[in-house]
Amino acid sequence: MKMFSVAHKTVFVVDHCPYMAESSRQQVECDVLTKSRAQGVIPLAPVSKSLWTCAVECSMEYCRILYDIYPKDKLVNYIVSDSEFHILNSWRREDQSTHELMSALAAVGPPNPREDPECCSILHGLVAAVESLCKITELQHERRTALMDTAERVANRGRIICLTNAKSDTHVRMLEDCIQETILDQNKLAAGSDRLMAIQQCELVLVHIYPQGEDTLVSDRPKKEISPLLTSEVHSVRAGRHLATKLNILVQQHFDLTSTTITNIPMKEEQHANTSANYDVELLHHRDAHLEFFKSGDLHMAGTSTRENGLKETVTLKWCTPRTNTIELYYCTGAYRISPTDVNSRPSSCLTNFLLNGRSVLLEQPRKSGSKVISHMLSSHGGEIFLHVLNSNRSTLEDPPSISEGCGGRVTDYRITDFGEFMRENRLTPVSESTHDPSGKLPAERAKAQLERHTRYWPMIISQTTIFNMQAVVPLANLIVKETLTEEDVLTCQKTVYNLVDMERKNDPLPISTVGSRGKGPKRDEQYRIMWNELETLVKTHAGATDRHQRVLDCIIACRSKPPEEEERKKRGRKREEREDRTEKNGNKETDDKSWQESERLKGLLDKEDQESEVIKDSPDSPEPLNKKPRLTTEEVQPPERAKGPVSLLTMWTNRITAANSRKHQEFVGRASSVNNKFELYQHLKDENGMDVHENGKASR
């Protein structure tokens, strides 16, 4: 069955009435030789296009893009309306070209401003457009012939694009009512004819064109359903470049196109042949060429930017210098025809000729850092230019990755064994026709329903689940996915829940994954909280199946709500665990302190024996340093006072060095016999001279 979309038929209805001869008031400069003009030559005055000229140019640009990208299956019928309608081409394939349309438009000529406006109306063209949509195209005829028994399945849909200068919103509603009545009348005629097809759906796109500097009398309106057969939308646009932009956006919306801008194209300058400059060229193509960007969300990496005040987006790709001496076969996942947005510009013309001469251009994603990624390629085949999508990921032609490599990146702890069991439980087997299901479901539907129930909650990675790593939860996990539960199944699930409560009361450990976390992982209470949350999530996904499923969920919720004495017991357990952790840490530090103190005591005894065997001579020329601390005997050495809390390694080492240095010299006699750390100097002078000597050693007079 072939379902033709609305894009299969497009009818252009262009107003040819006298008011379309009015100026658009957008001036075009004709005198471009201002610098080299001789003296006395009067410059040329600027000209402006008429509304008719703007409508014809923009509609032909719409058709050019359409024919470039869809040369066969998208058809256009062009109608001009004044005092009567003029059909410029037919649905036949030989009439589908811009050359045929331009020749027919040249024969029609511009609107006659002296013609009676009362005799002219756009309605003539709209009625002819509806009649044209009822005619059968060659593709529809081929499909109807192939489906003789079910020819009515071939759909007939189309779109009417009307370019006119409407008077008001009331005038627009009158045009919509006229089209609606014409569709109903034509469908009645098509029901009794073999050469016509009834219209199942028609889209009306009415574009109101008005000159520059004037206020519009018609308001914009988004797509609105007039009837089951007709939808309508209204666009009010100023003539000139605004109209060209609007139709460029419409052609992208109507035919699922998107924009790509090729940047940094090197091109030699005409004035300076030895120099080159970089240019940008915008191309239109089918949206699927950027499908990988949309899937992965890497449009920001591909350089997405917005054009025309946010109306449409374009994806930026960077030019790579082509290799001319090598012929390489690239792995492509798609090829799509392209059409330049500005076909007459010099950069577009140079790029087109470059590609039509047999050259290929690689395109890369612009990145601020990292290696470049070549994602697309431009190349021509048979005189047509295609945008090729290159595979930037692992090719399907290569050997598949082993599970140990981690097809999910660094993730390697997949539940491989559980997945094998899951596949065995959901295998499909042939079913005889005599097998009857009381519910009336087909076997395929029952299989899909079972697969949906089994996958409502099924973590793929071991580190992301707790309950599926516990043998105690297996009975509940296997029963809760069933479509219906028996009373025995409910009792089994409740017993499983009670067993988990008993495990929590005994403070049994749980298989919590500590991958990526430092230390011992979460506390025991936190482990059980995670387990209960995951178990409740699993049961909630199936609680709405039957009342017995809900009873299992109610049991879990009831067991999770602890009485006050249970909460107090858990608080005491938490404090005990914290105290044990602190004791374990402090115990390690005290053991280290004791070992240091024991070694210092032994070292002091050895130093004392060495000092007793030696005679140290005093010398006035080499006085003892004043900053030495009094040396204490081994018995008087007190261990350094430990600070509250754990002692750092620096403190332990400083205490050891200080104690060792204090034993390497003979203590100063004055410090050893001082009173309150003070010693009176030159006591013999007081006895000989009878002078009063102060404690600081200076005589007083």
Side-chain angles (χ1 to χ4, degrees):
M1 182 176 65
K2 178 70 173 180
M3 296 295 290
F4 290 94
S5 66
V6 176
H8 177 59
K9 292 180 178 179
T10 301
V11 182
F12 264 103
V13 181
V14 183
D15 201 339
H16 195 249
C17 295
Y19 48 78
M20 292 296 289
E22 183 181 352
S23 172
S24 65
R25 301 177 189 173
Q26 181 177 355
Q27 295 183 348
V28 179
E29 295 289 342
C30 296
D31 193 359
V32 295
L33 303 177
T34 55
K35 294 183 178 180
S36 60
R37 186 175 62 245
Q39 295 182 355
V41 178
I42 300 175
L44 298 175
V47 298
S48 61
K49 301 176 183 178
S50 64
L51 298 181
W52 162 258
T53 303
C54 294
V56 169
E57 288 181 351
C58 296
S59 60
M60 291 307 301
E61 184 69 10
Y62 184 105
C63 296
R64 180 194 66 81
I65 295 173
L66 177 60
Y67 289 146
D68 283 348
I69 299 178
Y70 299 100
K72 294 182 179 180
D73 54 343
K74 309 297 182 185
L75 308 178
V76 174
N77 189 211
Y78 208 99
I79 299 176
V80 174
S81 178
D82 42 33
S83 59
E84 58 181 355
F85 63 87
H86 308 274
I87 300 179
L88 304 188
N89 67 336
S90 65
W91 295 122
R92 294 183 301 175
R93 291 177 179 174
E94 55 266 22
D95 292 342
Q96 299 297 315
S97 66
T98 55
H99 178 73
E100 292 289 336
L101 294 178
M102 292 296 288
S103 300
L105 285 170
V108 171
N112 185 6
R114 291 182 294 273
E115 191 174 357
D116 185 8
E118 298 296 331
C119 300
C120 300
S121 176
I122 192 65
L123 285 175
H124 303 303
L126 293 175
V127 172
V130 176
E131 295 175 353
S132 179
L133 288 179
C134 290
K135 297 178 182 179
I136 302 176
T137 65
E138 295 177 354
L139 292 174
Q140 288 177 327
H141 178 69
E142 293 174 1
R143 186 55 56 185
R144 280 163 60 95
T145 306
L147 301 172
M148 290 298 296
D149 298 334
T150 57
E152 66 277 1
R153 294 188 179 182
V154 179
N156 185 30
R157 302 184 179 94
R159 180 183 290 115
I160 299 175
I161 302 177
C162 179
L163 304 180
T164 183
N165 181 268
K167 297 180 177 63
S168 62
D169 292 337
T170 306
H171 185 207
V172 172
R173 287 193 293 270
M174 185 268 292
L175 297 178
E176 293 172 347
D177 295 339
C178 177
I179 294 177
Q180 172 66 19
E181 295 177 1
T182 307
I183 291 176
L184 296 177
D185 295 339
Q186 290 297 317
N187 283 351
K188 293 179 182 179
L189 294 176
S193 174
D194 293 335
R195 301 187 176 212
L196 300 176
M197 292 182 64
I199 299 175
Q200 278 87 31
Q201 183 182 0
C202 176
E203 288 186 5
L204 173 63
V205 181
L206 195 146
V207 181
H208 167 66
I209 309 172
Y210 62 97
Q212 297 272 355
E214 289 189 5
D215 295 333
T216 177
L217 301 176
V218 178
S219 56
D220 287 349
R221 192 186 66 200
K223 185 179 292 186
K224 175 185 176 182
E225 183 176 345
I226 307 299
S227 71
L229 300 178
L230 178 64
T231 60
S232 173
E233 58 183 291
V234 180
H235 302 276
S236 184
V237 189
R238 291 194 297 270
R241 60 185 181 88
H242 301 282
L243 180 61
T245 301
K246 172 59 67 174
L247 285 184
N248 183 277
I249 294 173
L250 288 178
V251 72
Q252 297 184 50
Q253 294 175 351
H254 294 165
F255 299 97
D256 203 17
L257 307 181
T258 191
S259 168
T260 295
T261 301
I262 313 300
T263 62
N264 294 342
I265 301 177
M267 195 176 303
K268 292 184 178 180
E269 295 287 347
E270 293 179 341
Q271 293 83 1
H272 307 283
N274 295 329
T275 62
S276 63
N278 293 333
Y279 291 91
D280 298 345
V281 174
E282 184 182 359
L283 306 176
L284 296 179
H285 51 81
H286 196 274
R287 185 181 181 86
D288 287 349
H290 294 159
L291 190 61
E292 292 298 326
F293 291 156
F294 293 117
K295 287 182 179 179
S296 60
D298 287 342
L299 277 176
H300 65 284
M301 299 176 62
T304 305
S305 59
T306 304
R307 301 183 290 105
E308 300 296 339
N309 300 325
L311 294 177
K312 204 65 180 177
E313 291 185 341
T314 180
V315 175
T316 303
L317 296 177
K318 190 178 178 182
W319 167 286
C320 287
T321 304
R323 299 178 181 178
T324 57
N325 298 327
T326 60
I327 301 177
E328 299 182 7
L329 181 63
Y330 294 96
Y331 172 51
C332 301
T333 59
Y336 305 92
R337 289 182 173 87
I338 61 100
S339 178
T341 301
D342 190 2
V343 68
N344 294 321
S345 66
R346 179 174 174 266
S348 298
S349 177
C350 292
L351 176 62
T352 302
N353 293 331
F354 181 84
L355 295 171
L356 291 177
N357 289 331
R359 310 288 289 275
S360 297
V361 176
L362 298 177
L363 306 176
E364 63 172 300
Q365 301 177 18
R367 296 196 171 194
K368 295 181 180 179
S369 62
S371 60
K372 65 180 181 180
V373 177
I374 298 177
S375 58
H376 294 78
M377 179 182 68
L378 283 173
S379 183
S380 64
H381 305 286
E384 293 182 294
I385 302 176
F386 291 83
L387 178 65
H388 299 73
V389 182
L390 305 181
N391 185 36
S392 56
N393 300 321
R394 183 190 290 269
S395 171
T396 55
L397 303 178
E398 300 176 6
D399 294 333
S402 62
I403 195 67
S404 60
E405 295 180 16
C407 58
R410 297 183 178 181
V411 179
T412 55
D413 56 335
Y414 292 103
R415 297 171 56 199
I416 303 174
T417 306
D418 295 342
F419 187 68
E421 185 65 27
F422 167 79
M423 289 190 294
R424 281 192 293 270
E425 293 175 355
N426 292 275
R427 283 185 298 182
L428 297 178
T429 57
V431 179
S432 61
E433 297 180 359
S434 59
T435 305
H436 177 70
D437 184 35
S439 62
K441 292 184 179 180
L442 296 175
E445 295 178 356
R446 297 202 307 270
K448 291 180 181 179
Q450 176 178 328
L451 187 62
E452 189 272 334
R453 292 195 307 272
H454 280 246
T455 55
R456 286 179 188 174
Y457 183 77
W458 202 92
M460 297 180 61
I461 303 173
I462 297 175
S463 59
Q464 291 181 348
T465 180
T466 301
I467 59 176
F468 289 101
N469 300 332
M470 300 172 59
Q471 193 66 27
V473 189
V474 171
L476 187 146
N478 292 337
L479 293 174
I480 201 65
V481 297
K482 295 173 62 176
E483 187 174 5
T484 58
L485 295 178
T486 63
E487 285 295 334
E488 185 178 354
D489 295 338
V490 175
L491 292 176
T492 304
C493 294
Q494 292 176 346
K495 289 180 181 178
T496 303
V497 176
Y498 297 149
N499 290 337
L500 296 176
V501 173
D502 189 54
M503 289 176 58
E504 185 177 12
R505 184 178 293 108
K506 296 178 180 178
N507 213 15
D508 292 342
L510 295 180
I512 296 290
S513 174
T514 58
V515 177
S517 61
R518 297 180 178 180
K520 298 182 178 180
K523 298 289 184 181
R524 195 64 51 82
D525 290 348
E526 180 68 14
Q527 295 179 10
Y528 275 96
R529 189 188 65 80
I530 295 173
M531 185 272 295
W532 284 115
N533 288 340
E534 186 178 6
L535 184 63
E536 187 173 342
T537 301
L538 170 65
V539 179
K540 274 185 177 179
T541 58
H542 303 275
T546 62
D547 294 338
R548 291 172 178 170
H549 287 82
Q550 183 65 35
R551 286 168 54 187
V552 178
L553 178 61
D554 295 340
C555 178
I556 295 176
I557 296 176
C559 292
R560 289 198 66 178
S561 57
K562 302 289 190 309
E565 56 271 12
E566 182 70 15
E567 292 294 334
E568 187 64 27
R569 186 193 63 80
K570 292 180 65 175
K571 288 182 180 179
R572 291 197 300 268
R574 283 196 296 268
K575 292 181 179 179
R576 184 172 61 255
E577 288 183 1
E578 294 175 358
R579 190 162 54 249
E580 290 175 356
D581 292 342
R582 287 197 300 267
T583 303
E584 183 179 354
K585 293 179 181 179
N586 295 336
N588 295 334
K589 295 292 187 295
E590 291 175 358
T591 303
D592 295 338
D593 293 343
K594 290 180 179 180
S595 61
W596 283 109
Q597 293 171 7
E598 184 66 20
S599 62
E600 290 299 331
R601 190 180 67 82
L602 296 176
K603 183 174 178 61
L605 293 176
L606 295 175
D607 292 342
K608 185 177 180 180
E609 294 176 358
D610 295 340
Q611 290 170 0
E612 290 177 353
S613 61
E614 295 179 358
V615 177
I616 302 177
K617 298 182 179 180
D618 295 335
S619 172
D621 297 333
S622 59
E624 293 290 335
L626 299 178
N627 59 349
K628 296 296 182 180
K629 295 182 180 179
R631 178 172 179 245
L632 305 177
T633 59
T634 306
E635 293 76 8
E636 295 174 348
V637 174
Q638 299 295 331
E641 182 180 359
R642 291 179 64 251
K644 295 183 179 180
V647 181
S648 65
L649 182 61
L650 176 61
T651 303
M652 296 166 57
W653 179 256
T654 304
N655 294 339
R656 179 178 182 276
I657 295 299
T658 302
N661 290 336
S662 65
R663 299 183 178 90
K664 293 182 180 179
H665 66 276
Q666 186 178 8
E667 187 53 61
F668 177 47
V669 177
R671 185 183 293 115
S673 59
S674 63
V675 178
N676 295 330
N677 290 331
K678 293 182 179 181
F679 179 76
E680 185 178 359
L681 300 178
Y682 310 112
Q683 296 180 8
H684 61 284
L685 294 178
K686 180 179 178 181
D687 298 336
E688 294 176 0
N689 302 329
M691 297 179 63
D692 185 12
V693 182
H694 292 287
E695 292 180 358
N696 58 4
K698 295 183 180 180
S700 60
R701 298 182 181 179

